[in-house]
Amino acid sequence: QAQVTESGGGLVQIGESLRLSCVASGRTPNTYTWAWFRQAPGKEREFVARLVSSGITDYADSVKGRFTISTGTTRNTMYLQMNTVKPEDAAVYYCALAIGQTTAVTGRQITRYESWGQGTQVTVSS
């Protein structure tokens, strides 16, 4: 089972951009789903975006058109480009990795993912 580690969180101003990174160590499956979830204080962890090894991407409505999920030159690295950041984007962001491909339903389920990072804080300022 791969271990994943996020980085790139920090303070960002409203309307600005931030890029989060996630790296998997250990064995990365040939078919997989990468995902980002986030959790704001007092709220449940929610789906943000996913990327399937087939190339399919999927976004929460709240970030569609502003965030982009992608992989690096290898499948071990994954990014979340956050543009036009809003106050409601402030949260702890978690990257997750699942073995195998997911559907639009299963890919949004926390329980589908075997590997989770520790989270990286994104703070939005005015």
Side-chain angles (χ1 to χ4, degrees), residues 55-96:
I56 292 172
T57 58
D58 180 28
Y59 298 91
D61 288 343
S62 59
V63 306
K64 196 173 296 182
R66 299 188 297 119
F67 290 10
T68 302
I69 187 171
S70 63
T71 55
T73 54
T74 71
R75 61 177 184 261
N76 285 8
T77 305
M78 183 266 288
Y79 304 102
L80 183 70
Q81 179 67 42
M82 304 168 60
N83 295 332
T84 318
V85 170
K86 300 179 179 181
E88 53 264 41
D89 294 324
V92 177
Y93 283 71
Y94 298 89
C95 72

Side-chain angles (χ1 to χ4, degrees), residues 9-38:
L11 181 65
V12 59
Q13 292 188 328
I14 295 172
E16 296 298 313
S17 299
L18 191 68
R19 190 176 80 161
L20 307 182
S21 301
C22 188
V23 176
S25 60
R27 183 178 180 182
T28 304
N30 291 326
T31 60
Y32 57 86
T33 302
W34 276 113
W36 287 97
F37 289 77
R38 66 186 182 186

